[in-house]
Amino acid sequence: MRTTYDEADDILVLHLSDKPIVKEVSQDWNTHVSYAEDGSIVEIVVLDASKQGAWPLLKSHAA
């Protein structure tokens, strides 16, 4: 897993896999999930991450 955060745009991206993305679904206005062909999650994008409380990741949540 790889995590990137764009402070200027407040966007958090959780990269879970290097598989090609074949489908993207918006769970709500600020959470988007990308899927591989086999149905596994490839990445999750959270907009306004710090405003939503998703960033910074707390050590207890990251474990």
Side-chain angles (χ1 to χ4, degrees), residues 9-62:
D9 292 324
D10 194 19
I11 298 172
L12 174 65
V13 181
L14 304 170
H15 305 275
L16 305 173
S17 169
D18 289 327
K19 295 178 183 178
I21 295 171
V22 297
K23 178 174 140 183
E24 295 182 60
V25 177
S26 294
Q27 298 299 309
D28 53 32
W29 72 270
N30 71 320
T31 306
H32 308 280
V33 181
S34 300
Y35 296 91
E37 177 124 11
D38 64 4
S40 62
I41 296 174
V42 176
E43 74 179 19
I44 300 170
V45 177
V46 181
L47 306 176
D48 286 342
S50 67
K51 291 179 188 172
Q52 299 297 321
W55 188 261
L57 294 175
L58 298 175
K59 196 168 203 164
S60 61
H61 290 158

